């Protein structure tokens, strides 16, 4: 997902833009660039490749003067990664520069019209067309006597009225050297408020080192920003609603600290982040859970007769954990839907169906579309989300924040355990509003409260898990097997390994192996088997033995105290005993560490895996 940074103030802009772009690297990108105004001069630098390999070296060799500029990290959608296709893009006059996150769907028709009017293009991107379109509208406004800054904002507004698609943009023009114009529809954009300086960015990570006062722009907002003020107009029917928010985490939270990778840091943060997810949400007197932001009465929650959990990727795996929990605790029918499918299916929903969007970033385009589809059909829509002020968090009718702090590693880890924690609490609440007895409620609460300490003990096995990972790091295929509450964890373990080590891995219900996949088992195909000492133990063990009988290596994730499993598996990683429904919270951590160490052993870029973006805001 592309990243945008803008700065206007008293400091030299280029170093601030570069630092902001570095803080957005986790979003995934293949090129980067800046445009800095120095007086009436447009200074453009843009390079394919990582920031440190291209853009940073260029700026170091020839620094740019100027106190206003915009920057961009590009995740290619239209046109391959190249210097020419990198942003910023200039308009026909060369006096205007634009950076963009999103997809302009009607760019080809606009390009055709502009070419007929004599425009020439250097790149294959939709963004360059947008730059020329804004420039074209700006030229047509030259006749009136208004200030260049007013004309620039007007040109952006009128150009965007022609655009179909999604955008988060920043625009600068040498005729108006003191302002930056920003706009958003479908891609996030925030204003960071400083002292005699202001910032524009795709997310707060890019500005949190300078300010914790931000304005989350809404779709159709167009902001005109100078060093001393900002004004927001709206392309939509409503007038712009401006609300200044306080960023809830410190700049250090977005730093790697003593860890070699953000992913490892975030794995080790999980005892603390699970505590954050639990904090203030346990009602021991009533053996239930409580939330401040559901915006639903207990009566409305009791009326819910079906729940749809919609999400993507790791969040979809958390949703699957939620399905088992809600059915177990509350006996509510649950559908777990890939958001990209849910938005187009005509799934029959009940009158009181509650739709819950689960998302770390709050910006995933498919999940946002799923939420909007649910609301369009008149259903209550909640969001379980990590990023305060994100689009999905703001468009939902209510929701639950994870309070996990920024998750920078592309592979989601602490967000998953926080989502599972929140879903366990939500299932407890829904269960206690129905038939779940006090005693069971207290058992669940005690198991949750023991979770962070148990995670600490699992993390102490890091070095041992590293050795196991090194033993299997050359495999080309992996299976992850689990039953019941362990099945979604098997899927999550497979995704973690796939996305950071590039090894092909599949998760399956353990019993499903005998219906075909077992044909793939051989001595070079390890299977990770989630086999807690629970009600399914004997059946899972027989599935494990079927794999071993075909010389398939087995790594067992088992419950502490089970000595016999060591004779039935090649390697064992133990987790502390807990209630069956709480097992996912613990069992996922060994799989996160396994994936991390396998990827390191294979020399992969753990925090920025190839082809991936942290949050996918395109469909
Ligand atoms: C998980 O490790 C991946 N980074 C990806 O599957 C991610 O979970 C998915 O894109 C959903 O993102 P979200 O939670 O921000 O909506």
């Amino acid at each position: 997902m592309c990243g945008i940074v803008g700065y206007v103030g008293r400091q030299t802009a280029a170093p601030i833009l570069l630092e902001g772009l570095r803080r957005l690297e986790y979003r995934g990108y293949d090129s980067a660039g800046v445009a800095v105004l120095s007086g009436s001069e447009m200074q453009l630098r843009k390079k394919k490749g990582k920031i440190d390999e291209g853009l940073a070296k260029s700026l170091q060799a020839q620094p740019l003067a100027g106190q206003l500029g915009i920057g961009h990290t590009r995740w290619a959608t239209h046109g391959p990664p190249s210097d020419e296709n990198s942003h910023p893009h200039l308009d026909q006059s060369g006096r205007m520069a634009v950076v963009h996150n999103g997809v302009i769907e009607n760019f080809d028709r606009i390009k055709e019209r502009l070419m007929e009017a004599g425009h020439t293009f250097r790149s294959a991107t939709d963004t360059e067309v947008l730059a020329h379109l804004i420039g074209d509208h700006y030229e047509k406004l030259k006749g009136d006597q208004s200030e260049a800054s007013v004309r620039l904002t007007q040109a952006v507004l009128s150009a965007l009225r022609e655009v179909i698609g999604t955008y988060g943009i920043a625009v600068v023009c040498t005729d108006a050297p003191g302002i930056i114009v920003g706009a958003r529809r479908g891609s996030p954009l925030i204003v960071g408020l400083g002292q005699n300086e202001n910032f524009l960015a795709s997310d707060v990570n890019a500005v949190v080192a300078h300010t914790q006062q931000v304005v989350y722009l809404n779709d159709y907002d167009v902001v005109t920003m100078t060093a001393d003020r900002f004004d927001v107009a709206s392309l939509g029917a409503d007038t712009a609603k401006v609300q200044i928010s306080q960023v809830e985490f410190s700049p250090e939270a977005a730093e790697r600290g003593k860890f070699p990778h953000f992913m490892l840091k975030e794995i080790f943060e999980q005892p603390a982040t699970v505590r954050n997810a639990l904090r203030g949400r346990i009602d021991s007197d009533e053996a239930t859970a409580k939330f401040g932001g559901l915006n639903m009465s207990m009566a409305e929650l009791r009326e819910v007769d079906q729940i749809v959990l919609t999400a993507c990727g790791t969040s979809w795996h958390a949703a699957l954990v939620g399905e088992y929990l809600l059915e177990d605790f509350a006996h509510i029918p649950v559908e777990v839907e890939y958001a990209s499918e849910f938005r187009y299916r005509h799934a029959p929903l009940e009158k009181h169906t509650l739709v819950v969007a689960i998302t770390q970033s709050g910006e995933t385009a498919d999940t946002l579309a799923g939420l909007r589809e649910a609301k369009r059909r008149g259903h209550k829509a909640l969001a379980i989300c990590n990023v305060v002020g994100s689009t999905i968090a703001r468009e939902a009718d209510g929701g639950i924040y994870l309070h996990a702090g920024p998750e920078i590693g592309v592979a989601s880890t602490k967000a998953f355990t926080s989502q599972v924690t929140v879903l366990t609490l939500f299932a407890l609440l829904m269960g206690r509003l129905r038939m779940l007895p006090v005693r069971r409620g207290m058992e669940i609460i005690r198991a949750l409260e023991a979770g962070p300490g148990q995670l600490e003990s699992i993390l102490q096995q890091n070095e041992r898990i590293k050795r196991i990972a090194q033993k299997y790091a050359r495999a080309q295929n992996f299976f992850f097997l689990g039953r019941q509450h362990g099945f979604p964890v098997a899927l999550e373990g497979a995704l973690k390994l796939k996305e950071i080590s590039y090894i092909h891995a599949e998760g399956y219900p353990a019993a499903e192996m005998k219906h075909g996949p077992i044909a793939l088992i051989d001595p070079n195909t390890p299977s990770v088997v989630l086999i807690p000492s629970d009600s399914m133990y004997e059946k899972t063990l027989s599935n494990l033995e079927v794999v071993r009988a075909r010389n398939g290596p087995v790594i067992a994730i088992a419950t502490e105290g089970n000595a016999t499993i060591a004779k039935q598996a090649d390697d064992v990683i133990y987790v502390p005993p807990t209630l069956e429904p709480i097992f996912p919270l613990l069992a996922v951590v060994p799989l996160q560490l396994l994936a991390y160490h396998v990827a390191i052993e294979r020399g992969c870029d753990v925090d920025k895996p190839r082809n991936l973006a942290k949050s996918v805001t395109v469909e």
Side-chain angles (χ1 to χ4, degrees), residues 273-284 288-293 385 399-403 418 421-422 425-426 428-429 445:
T273 50
V274 167
R275 284 192 188 93
N276 291 345
L278 289 170
R279 188 168 294 115
R281 292 170 169 167
I282 288 175
D283 178 347
S284 297
T288 187
K290 55 189 178 184
F291 298 100
C385 180
I400 307 168
Y401 278 124
L402 300 182
H403 301 309
S418 295
T421 301
V422 161
L425 289 168
F426 183 66
L428 172 63
L429 170 62
I445 287 172

PDB file of all heavy atoms in Angstrom, residues 273-284 288-293 385 399-403 418 421-422 425-426 428-429 445:
ATOM      1  N   THR A 273       0.256  -6.731  25.243  1.00  0.00           N
ATOM      2  CA  THR A 273      -0.878  -6.311  24.411  1.00  0.00           C
ATOM      3  C   THR A 273      -2.142  -7.108  24.742  1.00  0.00           C
ATOM      4  O   THR A 273      -3.250  -6.573  24.661  1.00  0.00           O
ATOM      5  CB  THR A 273      -0.536  -6.461  22.909  1.00  0.00           C
ATOM      6  OG1 THR A 273      -0.017  -7.777  22.655  1.00  0.00           O
ATOM      7  CG2 THR A 273       0.515  -5.431  22.508  1.00  0.00           C
ATOM      8  N   VAL A 274      -1.979  -8.362  25.167  1.00  0.00           N
ATOM      9  CA  VAL A 274      -3.166  -9.120  25.601  1.00  0.00           C
ATOM     10  C   VAL A 274      -3.696  -8.507  26.907  1.00  0.00           C
ATOM     11  O   VAL A 274      -4.908  -8.339  27.072  1.00  0.00           O
ATOM     12  CB  VAL A 274      -2.832 -10.616  25.784  1.00  0.00           C
ATOM     13  CG1 VAL A 274      -3.948 -11.347  26.540  1.00  0.00           C
ATOM     14  CG2 VAL A 274      -2.599 -11.272  24.426  1.00  0.00           C
ATOM     15  N   ARG A 275      -2.794  -8.085  27.786  1.00  0.00           N
ATOM     16  CA  ARG A 275      -3.251  -7.373  29.001  1.00  0.00           C
ATOM     17  C   ARG A 275      -4.018  -6.104  28.619  1.00  0.00           C
ATOM     18  O   ARG A 275      -5.065  -5.788  29.179  1.00  0.00           O
ATOM     19  CB  ARG A 275      -2.048  -7.012  29.885  1.00  0.00           C
ATOM     20  CG  ARG A 275      -1.456  -8.159  30.657  1.00  0.00           C
ATOM     21  CD  ARG A 275      -0.461  -7.713  31.727  1.00  0.00           C
ATOM     22  NE  ARG A 275       0.225  -8.873  32.309  1.00  0.00           N
ATOM     23  CZ  ARG A 275       1.404  -9.350  31.859  1.00  0.00           C
ATOM     24  NH1 ARG A 275       2.037  -8.736  30.851  1.00  0.00           N
ATOM     25  NH2 ARG A 275       1.964 -10.419  32.402  1.00  0.00           N
ATOM     26  N   ASN A 276      -3.506  -5.381  27.604  1.00  0.00           N
ATOM     27  CA  ASN A 276      -4.197  -4.158  27.163  1.00  0.00           C
ATOM     28  C   ASN A 276      -5.605  -4.481  26.652  1.00  0.00           C
ATOM     29  O   ASN A 276      -6.560  -3.763  26.899  1.00  0.00           O
ATOM     30  CB  ASN A 276      -3.411  -3.471  26.040  1.00  0.00           C
ATOM     31  CG  ASN A 276      -2.106  -2.881  26.517  1.00  0.00           C
ATOM     32  OD1 ASN A 276      -1.884  -2.730  27.720  1.00  0.00           O
ATOM     33  ND2 ASN A 276      -1.214  -2.566  25.585  1.00  0.00           N
ATOM     34  N   ALA A 277      -5.713  -5.599  25.935  1.00  0.00           N
ATOM     35  CA  ALA A 277      -7.019  -5.968  25.362  1.00  0.00           C
ATOM     36  C   ALA A 277      -8.002  -6.357  26.457  1.00  0.00           C
ATOM     37  O   ALA A 277      -9.215  -6.189  26.314  1.00  0.00           O
ATOM     38  CB  ALA A 277      -6.838  -7.113  24.374  1.00  0.00           C
ATOM     39  N   LEU A 278      -7.463  -6.886  27.574  1.00  0.00           N
ATOM     40  CA  LEU A 278      -8.320  -7.310  28.689  1.00  0.00           C
ATOM     41  C   LEU A 278      -8.677  -6.150  29.614  1.00  0.00           C
ATOM     42  O   LEU A 278      -9.751  -6.139  30.220  1.00  0.00           O
ATOM     43  CB  LEU A 278      -7.581  -8.380  29.528  1.00  0.00           C
ATOM     44  CG  LEU A 278      -7.410  -9.761  28.893  1.00  0.00           C
ATOM     45  CD1 LEU A 278      -6.447 -10.593  29.743  1.00  0.00           C
ATOM     46  CD2 LEU A 278      -8.758 -10.461  28.737  1.00  0.00           C
ATOM     47  N   ARG A 279      -7.802  -5.166  29.683  1.00  0.00           N
ATOM     48  CA  ARG A 279      -7.911  -4.112  30.698  1.00  0.00           C
ATOM     49  C   ARG A 279      -9.275  -3.420  30.697  1.00  0.00           C
ATOM     50  O   ARG A 279      -9.761  -2.962  29.657  1.00  0.00           O
ATOM     51  CB  ARG A 279      -6.821  -3.058  30.504  1.00  0.00           C
ATOM     52  CG  ARG A 279      -6.743  -2.026  31.643  1.00  0.00           C
ATOM     53  CD  ARG A 279      -5.495  -1.189  31.587  1.00  0.00           C
ATOM     54  NE  ARG A 279      -4.308  -2.012  31.821  1.00  0.00           N
ATOM     55  CZ  ARG A 279      -3.362  -2.212  30.888  1.00  0.00           C
ATOM     56  NH1 ARG A 279      -3.486  -1.655  29.694  1.00  0.00           N
ATOM     57  NH2 ARG A 279      -2.325  -2.977  31.130  1.00  0.00           N
ATOM     58  N   GLY A 280      -9.921  -3.432  31.861  1.00  0.00           N
ATOM     59  CA  GLY A 280     -11.196  -2.734  32.027  1.00  0.00           C
ATOM     60  C   GLY A 280     -12.379  -3.404  31.369  1.00  0.00           C
ATOM     61  O   GLY A 280     -13.478  -2.857  31.319  1.00  0.00           O
ATOM     62  N   ARG A 281     -12.187  -4.614  30.876  1.00  0.00           N
ATOM     63  CA  ARG A 281     -13.286  -5.270  30.132  1.00  0.00           C
ATOM     64  C   ARG A 281     -13.787  -6.534  30.817  1.00  0.00           C
ATOM     65  O   ARG A 281     -14.615  -7.253  30.281  1.00  0.00           O
ATOM     66  CB  ARG A 281     -12.811  -5.595  28.714  1.00  0.00           C
ATOM     67  CG  ARG A 281     -12.581  -4.343  27.882  1.00  0.00           C
ATOM     68  CD  ARG A 281     -11.882  -4.608  26.572  1.00  0.00           C
ATOM     69  NE  ARG A 281     -11.923  -3.428  25.689  1.00  0.00           N
ATOM     70  CZ  ARG A 281     -11.195  -3.287  24.598  1.00  0.00           C
ATOM     71  NH1 ARG A 281     -10.365  -4.257  24.228  1.00  0.00           N
ATOM     72  NH2 ARG A 281     -11.276  -2.197  23.858  1.00  0.00           N
ATOM     73  N   ILE A 282     -13.266  -6.833  32.019  1.00  0.00           N
ATOM     74  CA  ILE A 282     -13.719  -8.029  32.752  1.00  0.00           C
ATOM     75  C   ILE A 282     -14.602  -7.592  33.912  1.00  0.00           C
ATOM     76  O   ILE A 282     -14.222  -6.705  34.684  1.00  0.00           O
ATOM     77  CB  ILE A 282     -12.506  -8.837  33.257  1.00  0.00           C
ATOM     78  CG1 ILE A 282     -11.819  -9.532  32.068  1.00  0.00           C
ATOM     79  CG2 ILE A 282     -12.933  -9.874  34.297  1.00  0.00           C
ATOM     80  CD1 ILE A 282     -10.553 -10.266  32.424  1.00  0.00           C
ATOM     81  N   ASP A 283     -15.781  -8.188  33.990  1.00  0.00           N
ATOM     82  CA  ASP A 283     -16.693  -7.921  35.113  1.00  0.00           C
ATOM     83  C   ASP A 283     -16.781  -9.217  35.921  1.00  0.00           C
ATOM     84  O   ASP A 283     -17.591 -10.100  35.624  1.00  0.00           O
ATOM     85  CB  ASP A 283     -18.069  -7.521  34.559  1.00  0.00           C
ATOM     86  CG  ASP A 283     -19.070  -7.269  35.682  1.00  0.00           C
ATOM     87  OD1 ASP A 283     -18.768  -7.639  36.848  1.00  0.00           O
ATOM     88  OD2 ASP A 283     -20.151  -6.721  35.396  1.00  0.00           O
ATOM     89  N   SER A 284     -15.918  -9.326  36.919  1.00  0.00           N
ATOM     90  CA  SER A 284     -15.845 -10.584  37.687  1.00  0.00           C
ATOM     91  C   SER A 284     -17.117 -10.807  38.494  1.00  0.00           C
ATOM     92  O   SER A 284     -17.544 -11.941  38.693  1.00  0.00           O
ATOM     93  CB  SER A 284     -14.624 -10.542  38.616  1.00  0.00           C
ATOM     94  OG  SER A 284     -13.455 -10.470  37.821  1.00  0.00           O
ATOM     95  N   THR A 288     -18.767 -11.806  33.474  1.00  0.00           N
ATOM     96  CA  THR A 288     -19.010 -11.466  32.069  1.00  0.00           C
ATOM     97  C   THR A 288     -17.987 -10.441  31.609  1.00  0.00           C
ATOM     98  O   THR A 288     -17.033 -10.157  32.309  1.00  0.00           O
ATOM     99  CB  THR A 288     -20.445 -10.935  31.876  1.00  0.00           C
ATOM    100  OG1 THR A 288     -20.701 -10.775  30.478  1.00  0.00           O
ATOM    101  CG2 THR A 288     -20.644  -9.591  32.570  1.00  0.00           C
ATOM    102  N   ALA A 289     -18.193  -9.906  30.413  1.00  0.00           N
ATOM    103  CA  ALA A 289     -17.284  -8.891  29.862  1.00  0.00           C
ATOM    104  C   ALA A 289     -18.069  -7.617  29.631  1.00  0.00           C
ATOM    105  O   ALA A 289     -19.310  -7.637  29.570  1.00  0.00           O
ATOM    106  CB  ALA A 289     -16.683  -9.392  28.559  1.00  0.00           C
ATOM    107  N   LYS A 290     -17.347  -6.491  29.505  1.00  0.00           N
ATOM    108  CA  LYS A 290     -18.033  -5.214  29.268  1.00  0.00           C
ATOM    109  C   LYS A 290     -17.197  -4.392  28.303  1.00  0.00           C
ATOM    110  O   LYS A 290     -15.952  -4.433  28.322  1.00  0.00           O
ATOM    111  CB  LYS A 290     -18.228  -4.472  30.594  1.00  0.00           C
ATOM    112  CG  LYS A 290     -16.947  -4.242  31.375  1.00  0.00           C
ATOM    113  CD  LYS A 290     -17.200  -3.712  32.776  1.00  0.00           C
ATOM    114  CE  LYS A 290     -15.869  -3.556  33.526  1.00  0.00           C
ATOM    115  NZ  LYS A 290     -16.050  -3.126  34.916  1.00  0.00           N
ATOM    116  N   PHE A 291     -17.877  -3.641  27.440  1.00  0.00           N
ATOM    117  CA  PHE A 291     -17.191  -2.830  26.431  1.00  0.00           C
ATOM    118  C   PHE A 291     -17.810  -1.443  26.429  1.00  0.00           C
ATOM    119  O   PHE A 291     -19.023  -1.313  26.618  1.00  0.00           O
ATOM    120  CB  PHE A 291     -17.350  -3.467  25.045  1.00  0.00           C
ATOM    121  CG  PHE A 291     -16.756  -4.837  24.936  1.00  0.00           C
ATOM    122  CD1 PHE A 291     -17.556  -5.969  25.015  1.00  0.00           C
ATOM    123  CD2 PHE A 291     -15.383  -5.001  24.787  1.00  0.00           C
ATOM    124  CE1 PHE A 291     -17.013  -7.240  24.920  1.00  0.00           C
ATOM    125  CE2 PHE A 291     -14.827  -6.274  24.700  1.00  0.00           C
ATOM    126  CZ  PHE A 291     -15.635  -7.391  24.771  1.00  0.00           C
ATOM    127  N   GLY A 292     -16.980  -0.442  26.174  1.00  0.00           N
ATOM    128  CA  GLY A 292     -17.501   0.929  26.203  1.00  0.00           C
ATOM    129  C   GLY A 292     -18.054   1.412  24.880  1.00  0.00           C
ATOM    130  O   GLY A 292     -18.844   2.350  24.846  1.00  0.00           O
ATOM    131  N   GLY A 293     -17.686   0.766  23.777  1.00  0.00           N
ATOM    132  CA  GLY A 293     -18.007   1.411  22.497  1.00  0.00           C
ATOM    133  C   GLY A 293     -18.877   0.603  21.564  1.00  0.00           C
ATOM    134  O   GLY A 293     -18.956   0.869  20.366  1.00  0.00           O
ATOM    135  N   CYS A 385     -10.924  -3.489  15.828  1.00  0.00           N
ATOM    136  CA  CYS A 385      -9.908  -2.806  15.042  1.00  0.00           C
ATOM    137  C   CYS A 385      -8.778  -2.315  15.933  1.00  0.00           C
ATOM    138  O   CYS A 385      -8.977  -2.078  17.128  1.00  0.00           O
ATOM    139  CB  CYS A 385     -10.592  -1.622  14.352  1.00  0.00           C
ATOM    140  SG  CYS A 385      -9.514  -0.661  13.328  1.00  0.00           S
ATOM    141  N   GLY A 399     -17.854  -0.492  18.197  1.00  0.00           N
ATOM    142  CA  GLY A 399     -16.778  -1.459  18.059  1.00  0.00           C
ATOM    143  C   GLY A 399     -15.895  -1.583  19.267  1.00  0.00           C
ATOM    144  O   GLY A 399     -16.204  -1.055  20.344  1.00  0.00           O
ATOM    145  N   ILE A 400     -14.806  -2.326  19.066  1.00  0.00           N
ATOM    146  CA  ILE A 400     -13.872  -2.616  20.154  1.00  0.00           C
ATOM    147  C   ILE A 400     -12.458  -2.409  19.624  1.00  0.00           C
ATOM    148  O   ILE A 400     -12.079  -3.033  18.623  1.00  0.00           O
ATOM    149  CB  ILE A 400     -14.025  -4.082  20.615  1.00  0.00           C
ATOM    150  CG1 ILE A 400     -15.486  -4.399  20.962  1.00  0.00           C
ATOM    151  CG2 ILE A 400     -13.109  -4.349  21.800  1.00  0.00           C
ATOM    152  CD1 ILE A 400     -15.748  -5.882  21.153  1.00  0.00           C
ATOM    153  N   TYR A 401     -11.733  -1.504  20.259  1.00  0.00           N
ATOM    154  CA  TYR A 401     -10.338  -1.303  19.861  1.00  0.00           C
ATOM    155  C   TYR A 401      -9.450  -2.347  20.523  1.00  0.00           C
ATOM    156  O   TYR A 401      -9.680  -2.766  21.658  1.00  0.00           O
ATOM    157  CB  TYR A 401      -9.879   0.098  20.273  1.00  0.00           C
ATOM    158  CG  TYR A 401     -10.297   1.189  19.292  1.00  0.00           C
ATOM    159  CD1 TYR A 401     -11.045   2.287  19.714  1.00  0.00           C
ATOM    160  CD2 TYR A 401      -9.941   1.118  17.949  1.00  0.00           C
ATOM    161  CE1 TYR A 401     -11.431   3.293  18.830  1.00  0.00           C
ATOM    162  CE2 TYR A 401     -10.320   2.115  17.050  1.00  0.00           C
ATOM    163  CZ  TYR A 401     -11.064   3.195  17.495  1.00  0.00           C
ATOM    164  OH  TYR A 401     -11.443   4.185  16.604  1.00  0.00           O
ATOM    165  N   LEU A 402      -8.375  -2.742  19.813  1.00  0.00           N
ATOM    166  CA  LEU A 402      -7.458  -3.750  20.347  1.00  0.00           C
ATOM    167  C   LEU A 402      -6.487  -3.140  21.357  1.00  0.00           C
ATOM    168  O   LEU A 402      -5.996  -3.819  22.238  1.00  0.00           O
ATOM    169  CB  LEU A 402      -6.653  -4.390  19.215  1.00  0.00           C
ATOM    170  CG  LEU A 402      -7.436  -5.106  18.109  1.00  0.00           C
ATOM    171  CD1 LEU A 402      -6.460  -5.729  17.108  1.00  0.00           C
ATOM    172  CD2 LEU A 402      -8.358  -6.170  18.671  1.00  0.00           C
ATOM    173  N   HIS A 403      -6.150  -1.831  21.204  1.00  0.00           N
ATOM    174  CA  HIS A 403      -5.135  -1.173  22.050  1.00  0.00           C
ATOM    175  C   HIS A 403      -3.800  -1.927  22.038  1.00  0.00           C
ATOM    176  O   HIS A 403      -3.126  -2.063  23.046  1.00  0.00           O
ATOM    177  CB  HIS A 403      -5.636  -1.044  23.496  1.00  0.00           C
ATOM    178  CG  HIS A 403      -6.910  -0.262  23.606  1.00  0.00           C
ATOM    179  ND1 HIS A 403      -7.081   0.983  23.027  1.00  0.00           N
ATOM    180  CD2 HIS A 403      -8.101  -0.569  24.177  1.00  0.00           C
ATOM    181  CE1 HIS A 403      -8.311   1.419  23.271  1.00  0.00           C
ATOM    182  NE2 HIS A 403      -8.958   0.500  23.969  1.00  0.00           N
ATOM    183  N   SER A 418      -4.577 -10.230  20.111  1.00  0.00           N
ATOM    184  CA  SER A 418      -5.505  -9.243  20.685  1.00  0.00           C
ATOM    185  C   SER A 418      -6.905  -9.421  20.121  1.00  0.00           C
ATOM    186  O   SER A 418      -7.900  -9.315  20.864  1.00  0.00           O
ATOM    187  CB  SER A 418      -5.001  -7.817  20.408  1.00  0.00           C
ATOM    188  OG  SER A 418      -3.780  -7.597  21.081  1.00  0.00           O
ATOM    189  N   THR A 421      -8.342 -12.354  21.895  1.00  0.00           N
ATOM    190  CA  THR A 421      -8.708 -11.973  23.265  1.00  0.00           C
ATOM    191  C   THR A 421     -10.036 -11.236  23.286  1.00  0.00           C
ATOM    192  O   THR A 421     -10.951 -11.567  24.062  1.00  0.00           O
ATOM    193  CB  THR A 421      -7.603 -11.081  23.876  1.00  0.00           C
ATOM    194  OG1 THR A 421      -6.365 -11.784  23.872  1.00  0.00           O
ATOM    195  CG2 THR A 421      -7.956 -10.659  25.291  1.00  0.00           C
ATOM    196  N   VAL A 422     -10.163 -10.265  22.387  1.00  0.00           N
ATOM    197  CA  VAL A 422     -11.392  -9.457  22.319  1.00  0.00           C
ATOM    198  C   VAL A 422     -12.575 -10.332  21.914  1.00  0.00           C
ATOM    199  O   VAL A 422     -13.674 -10.230  22.477  1.00  0.00           O
ATOM    200  CB  VAL A 422     -11.193  -8.282  21.332  1.00  0.00           C
ATOM    201  CG1 VAL A 422     -12.517  -7.704  20.878  1.00  0.00           C
ATOM    202  CG2 VAL A 422     -10.320  -7.210  21.967  1.00  0.00           C
ATOM    203  N   LEU A 425     -13.712 -12.330  24.875  1.00  0.00           N
ATOM    204  CA  LEU A 425     -14.505 -11.482  25.787  1.00  0.00           C
ATOM    205  C   LEU A 425     -15.898 -11.223  25.213  1.00  0.00           C
ATOM    206  O   LEU A 425     -16.900 -11.287  25.934  1.00  0.00           O
ATOM    207  CB  LEU A 425     -13.791 -10.149  26.021  1.00  0.00           C
ATOM    208  CG  LEU A 425     -12.519 -10.186  26.856  1.00  0.00           C
ATOM    209  CD1 LEU A 425     -11.778  -8.851  26.754  1.00  0.00           C
ATOM    210  CD2 LEU A 425     -12.831 -10.513  28.320  1.00  0.00           C
ATOM    211  N   PHE A 426     -15.967 -10.961  23.916  1.00  0.00           N
ATOM    212  CA  PHE A 426     -17.262 -10.690  23.284  1.00  0.00           C
ATOM    213  C   PHE A 426     -18.150 -11.932  23.337  1.00  0.00           C
ATOM    214  O   PHE A 426     -19.347 -11.848  23.659  1.00  0.00           O
ATOM    215  CB  PHE A 426     -17.051 -10.240  21.842  1.00  0.00           C
ATOM    216  CG  PHE A 426     -18.327  -9.864  21.134  1.00  0.00           C
ATOM    217  CD1 PHE A 426     -19.078  -8.763  21.540  1.00  0.00           C
ATOM    218  CD2 PHE A 426     -18.788 -10.632  20.074  1.00  0.00           C
ATOM    219  CE1 PHE A 426     -20.272  -8.424  20.897  1.00  0.00           C
ATOM    220  CE2 PHE A 426     -19.985 -10.297  19.423  1.00  0.00           C
ATOM    221  CZ  PHE A 426     -20.710  -9.202  19.841  1.00  0.00           C
ATOM    222  N   LEU A 428     -17.964 -14.257  25.563  1.00  0.00           N
ATOM    223  CA  LEU A 428     -18.348 -14.385  26.976  1.00  0.00           C
ATOM    224  C   LEU A 428     -19.546 -13.501  27.266  1.00  0.00           C
ATOM    225  O   LEU A 428     -20.542 -13.946  27.862  1.00  0.00           O
ATOM    226  CB  LEU A 428     -17.167 -14.003  27.869  1.00  0.00           C
ATOM    227  CG  LEU A 428     -17.438 -13.893  29.375  1.00  0.00           C
ATOM    228  CD1 LEU A 428     -17.868 -15.239  29.952  1.00  0.00           C
ATOM    229  CD2 LEU A 428     -16.195 -13.369  30.107  1.00  0.00           C
ATOM    230  N   LEU A 429     -19.491 -12.260  26.828  1.00  0.00           N
ATOM    231  CA  LEU A 429     -20.614 -11.333  27.033  1.00  0.00           C
ATOM    232  C   LEU A 429     -21.890 -11.892  26.399  1.00  0.00           C
ATOM    233  O   LEU A 429     -22.940 -11.984  27.039  1.00  0.00           O
ATOM    234  CB  LEU A 429     -20.284  -9.976  26.422  1.00  0.00           C
ATOM    235  CG  LEU A 429     -21.429  -8.964  26.328  1.00  0.00           C
ATOM    236  CD1 LEU A 429     -21.961  -8.597  27.707  1.00  0.00           C
ATOM    237  CD2 LEU A 429     -20.964  -7.706  25.580  1.00  0.00           C
ATOM    238  N   ILE A 445     -12.863 -16.424  32.471  1.00  0.00           N
ATOM    239  CA  ILE A 445     -12.156 -15.219  32.924  1.00  0.00           C
ATOM    240  C   ILE A 445     -10.810 -15.587  33.547  1.00  0.00           C
ATOM    241  O   ILE A 445      -9.779 -14.990  33.229  1.00  0.00           O
ATOM    242  CB  ILE A 445     -13.026 -14.433  33.926  1.00  0.00           C
ATOM    243  CG1 ILE A 445     -14.182 -13.742  33.168  1.00  0.00           C
ATOM    244  CG2 ILE A 445     -12.203 -13.415  34.716  1.00  0.00           C
ATOM    245  CD1 ILE A 445     -15.213 -13.085  34.059  1.00  0.00           C
TER     246      ILE A 445
END
